[in-house]
Amino acid sequence: MLFWSIEVPYLCVPEIFLDANATTPVLPEISQIVQRLCCNQFGNPSSSHLAGMMPKQIIAEARNAAAQLFRVADGRFIFNSGATEGINTAVLSVLAPYAGKAQEDTVLLYGATEHKAVPEALKHWNQVLGVKAKLLEIPTATNGALNIEFIKAHASKALMLCTMGANNETGVVQDLAAIANAIGGKDKKVPWLVDSVQVLGKVALNLGELPIDYATFSAHKLYGPKGTGCLFIRHGAPYTPLQQGGGQEHGERGGTENVAGIAALARIFDWLIHPQNSPLHSMETLSAYREQLLNALKKLFPELVLNQPYPESLPTTINFSVPGFHSGQIIAMFDAAGIRVSAGSACSKGRPQSFVLKAMGLPSWQCEGAIRLSFGPASSAEFIQMAATRINAMADRKQASEQGRVSGLWIPEPFDVGFAAYADETEKTLYWVGDSEKVKAWLNARFPSNDWCYTNLAPGSYEFGSYQFNVDSAETFRVMHQGTKRTLTLNDKGVALSDSNHTRIETIGPDEVALGNHFLIDVREPLETCMQAAPNFSGEALISERADWCRLALELTNSEIGLPMVAICRSGGRSTTVAALIAALGGPTVLSCDGGVTDVVHLLAAKESVI
Ligand code: PLP
């Protein structure tokens, strides 16, 4: 069997999860509590027999712990399924008294960088209840701070004010005391919701001092299970239950309580009340960890730009962009190296753009390229060191991969931009045709204008190496390989491939690929291939980055390979495109792997039982 000769452990790296602002793992101490309450003390707190006593007691203690932690004297906590439910409950509570009574001259004020749950809940309940208030976004400065003057100017017309403690993408911490002052302090009129999800465990929140009416919390952001949270409600603030039922939570939230989740939350509160007995680290330690990771990131990308005020933001969050890269490329690179980070952006049409960074007025390249790297407050020094070491190793591999092929045909964005170039390394000349503006960043990185002479091709016919360029105009041109006689036609939008080209391509699963009976053509980007090699079943796997796909489609023959060929990428999208491009030009049959290199590597590893 071929696969036994492959060094799988080298290809297979343990996962490093650096996306704690999205969620955190349940820590063993918490999972033991959850297990005990699910398996042993599983009684229903509403039961009047003895089995209900312990769960009832646990809920009461959790409520007391919440009050103690947040220094609450005049309010209460309701346990629920998390922050989204808390936000909806708060909005419903404020708007329900206006149901059916249109309030056209009023506004619902919310921060432009809120989590989507806030504007969506406002929109939903405003419409369902027929309140007809206007939704009004509070603008932010470039450092993410809400415009306090704007809040001051609109508070008197606001039915509700929604702000957040800290932002999930950027870690920007809002000045809640300044907001409180802007709306009149303790004498304020407008009901105020603070989404406190990201401050829990990172920034102290004093609900005894601040005139906040509603505050939402979620356990899974601080090592608790998903689907558990709580809502703080100030005494006297309007309240309408989101769900009615058997009278649980003093009639304020129907439904049998998630006792295991509440007990987990109680333990988290207890850690925060007694930090000396907790696995959570101090802000100083976390800030030093962040600095350590940032230094490693700067080695990987010396030109990175931070999209957050530093060091003033949450000490567990780094948000950065790198000129010349969009976030998908960087995530793919980290993913291949076994590090999970996120774009911190919602996917809209075209390239994903972070609405949070857009609201902060950052340039669009930063919004398109944003990467969020976040770790939990219980991260150990060893974990941070391991992450920094892995990122440093990525930097070394990236540097080594930058010394690849230079001469020959290059078409950097084959399906988006009409641009082709032929590089002659001995003459240090790049002959090009098409729209160079749209591929400027790629050109600068690959062929720096200080070292290379750029020559634009006017209409006509040219020969470079084995290639013939036929230029009809700057928008339409053909490239022919003189050996295979295959021709590629480009217009101003690049190569036209119809969907039917893709649907005719035969796919193959990673399990079949893992049998090792195919020749692999790895069509991921250099940033990915240098982080995780594809298994080499028969000599070297052929590597072809996007800018090289057209050359591959023009030149590829199977005469020497002798095995069926499979294109492989991260998840099966790019591999189908490349196989379709090769087929469209009349090249040899290439199958597309409908999984990715990581799937194949893990299947091989499972066979060797190394993971
Ligand atoms: N608010 C913020 C700032 C968040 O980060 C999240 C989590 O993604 C939520 C609200 C929603 O929380 P939950 O998952 O508990 O509904």
Side-chain angles (χ1 to χ4, degrees):
M1 284 278 223
L2 275 165
F3 68 78
W4 293 115
S5 63
I6 293 164
E7 250 194 87
V8 176
Y10 157 70
L11 302 169
C12 195
V13 287
E15 174 174 283
I16 294 181
F17 189 82
L18 286 176
D19 198 14
N21 286 10
T23 198
T24 51
V26 173
L27 288 189
E29 186 181 334
I30 301 271
S31 88
Q32 278 162 19
I33 293 172
V34 169
Q35 189 177 5
R36 178 163 51 81
L37 282 148
C38 290
C39 303
N40 306 109
Q41 294 159 341
F42 56 85
N44 186 327
S46 299
S47 297
S48 46
H49 52 66
L50 269 180
M53 290 297 286
M54 175 62 84
K56 203 180 297 172
Q57 178 71 12
I58 283 170
I59 296 174
E61 281 171 13
R63 233 186 286 282
N64 288 340
Q68 189 185 344
L69 172 64
F70 299 111
R71 298 160 191 252
V72 170
D74 65 340
R76 61 198 186 278
F77 287 86
I78 289 170
F79 293 106
N80 61 16
S81 68
T84 303
E85 182 183 330
I87 290 163
N88 275 273
T89 310
V91 172
L92 168 67
S93 297
V94 172
L95 297 189
Y98 304 103
K101 302 173 206 153
Q103 305 289 312
E104 269 135 356
D105 293 335
T106 62
V107 294
L108 298 168
L109 269 181
Y110 67 98
T113 57
E114 293 302 301
H115 186 277
K116 280 288 171 218
V118 168
E120 290 304 315
L122 287 170
K123 208 169 23 164
H124 176 73
W125 292 110
N126 188 41
Q127 199 237 321
V128 168
L129 299 171
V131 179
K132 299 190 176 159
K134 188 173 152 222
L135 267 71
L136 188 59
E137 253 184 30
I138 308 161
T140 75
T142 45
N143 66 0
L146 288 175
N147 185 325
I148 300 291
E149 290 309 312
F150 189 94
I151 297 175
K152 213 184 255 179
H154 293 89
S156 61
K157 275 174 50 184
L159 293 185
M160 184 173 196
L161 168 66
C162 305
T163 64
M164 68 201 314
N167 186 269
N168 43 309
E169 284 191 28
T170 56
V172 166
V173 180
Q174 293 298 338
D175 185 347
L176 296 179
I179 297 172
N181 274 340
I183 55 178
K186 296 241 186 253
D187 301 324
K188 70 165 185 54
K189 301 274 184 307
V190 59
W192 183 19
L193 161 69
V194 175
D195 174 350
S196 309
V197 167
Q198 296 290 347
V199 290
L200 190 67
K202 300 160 199 163
V203 180
L205 182 64
N206 188 334
L207 293 171
E209 291 247 305
L210 291 164
I212 294 169
D213 297 294
Y214 308 92
T216 56
F217 304 91
S218 188
H220 74 101
K221 306 287 184 177
L222 200 64
Y223 306 110
K226 293 164 185 63
T228 289
C230 65
L231 170 67
F232 163 75
I233 305 142
R234 167 113 19 227
H235 182 65
Y239 189 80
T240 295
L242 187 67
Q243 57 194 56
Q244 279 295 1
Q248 290 89 348
E249 293 294 276
H250 308 293
E252 296 197 308
R253 184 191 187 256
T256 301
E257 298 88 337
N258 173 2
V259 185
I262 295 170
L265 209 45
R267 178 54 56 97
I268 294 166
F269 293 156
D270 197 50
W271 284 342
L272 295 167
I273 296 167
H274 305 289
Q276 65 283 8
N277 301 329
S278 95
L280 308 176
H281 299 298
S282 69
M283 292 305 109
E284 293 71 33
T285 303
L286 296 173
S287 299
Y289 287 172
R290 178 168 72 159
E291 188 73 12
Q292 198 179 341
L293 291 176
L294 184 59
N295 286 339
L297 286 170
K298 283 182 177 163
K299 188 175 168 213
L300 178 60
F301 296 117
E303 61 285 30
L304 77 74
V305 174
L306 284 173
N307 300 322
Q308 66 191 151
Y310 190 94
E312 296 81 10
S313 40
L314 287 181
T316 47
T317 304
I318 300 175
N319 191 312
F320 68 93
S321 301
V322 185
F325 292 98
H326 59 81
S327 38
Q329 292 169 305
I330 298 182
I331 288 177
M333 170 191 197
F334 275 97
D335 217 29
I339 300 182
R340 312 295 170 236
V341 297
S342 84
S345 56
C347 199
S348 54
K349 268 196 225 122
R351 287 233 165 110
Q353 280 228 355
S354 160
F355 77 90
V356 170
L357 300 188
K358 243 174 129 178
M360 287 160 64
L362 298 190
S364 53
W365 75 266
Q366 271 170 265
C367 304
E368 283 175 3
I371 294 294
R372 177 184 72 184
L373 188 150
S374 52
F375 54 94
S379 301
S380 66
E382 291 74 27
F383 171 79
I384 297 293
Q385 181 57 48
M386 183 169 76
T389 305
R390 182 85 61 89
I391 296 169
N392 280 325
M394 287 170 75
D396 294 339
R397 289 202 199 177
K398 177 167 166 275
Q399 224 170 10
S401 85
E402 278 157 6
Q403 282 112 39
R405 173 179 81 87
V406 177
S407 280
L409 179 70
W410 294 103
I411 300 185
E413 293 287 353
F415 304 105
D416 295 323
V417 184
F419 177 89
Y422 188 90
D424 186 327
E425 202 180 4
T426 43
E427 285 182 28
K428 279 280 182 204
T429 302
L430 188 81
Y431 301 96
W432 65 274
V433 55
D435 187 349
S436 61
E437 260 311 293
K438 289 202 182 134
V439 293
K440 210 158 92 189
W442 180 87
L443 276 174
N444 281 339
R446 185 67 71 130
F447 300 102
S449 55
N450 288 347
D451 303 340
W452 285 77
C453 169
Y454 288 11
T455 301
N456 183 208
L457 300 176
S461 187
Y462 306 85
E463 275 191 25
F464 304 111
S466 346
Y467 283 96
Q468 186 174 329
F469 276 54
N470 288 303
V471 180
D472 299 334
S473 68
E475 287 82 34
T476 316
F477 43 94
R478 277 160 292 134
V479 181
M480 187 184 81
H481 187 263
Q482 318 220 43
T484 62
K485 301 286 180 221
R486 284 183 224 142
T487 299
L488 185 73
T489 305
L490 286 106
N491 60 26
D492 57 346
K493 294 188 183 59
V495 186
L497 265 195
S498 68
D499 282 348
S500 66
N501 284 115
H502 288 71
T503 49
R504 266 188 260 126
I505 296 306
E506 233 180 279
T507 58
I508 174 171
D511 44 347
E512 255 191 274
V513 171
L515 294 176
N517 301 323
H518 294 85
F519 180 84
L520 295 193
I521 304 174
D522 181 353
V523 298
R524 296 171 303 158
E525 292 304 289
L527 290 180
E528 296 163 82
T529 52
C530 71
M531 296 307 152
Q532 183 184 38
N536 84 49
F537 295 120
S538 90
E540 288 295 301
L542 186 60
I543 293 177
S544 180
E545 63 185 282
R546 183 178 301 260
D548 199 28
W549 288 352
C550 290
R551 186 186 68 84
L552 177 79
L554 287 164
E555 287 186 5
L556 185 72
T557 58
N558 56 4
S559 54
E560 291 125 52
I561 290 167
L563 284 174
M565 291 187 273
V566 176
I568 190 161
C569 56
R570 189 160 70 124
S571 58
R574 285 172 288 177
S575 56
T576 307
T577 301
V578 175
L581 177 65
I582 295 168
L585 297 198
T589 301
V590 174
L591 308 173
S592 166
C593 178
D594 62 13
V597 169
T598 306
D599 299 294
V600 175
V601 166
H602 281 252
L603 283 162
L604 290 168
K607 282 179 185 165
E608 283 197 15
S609 306
V610 292
I611 53 169

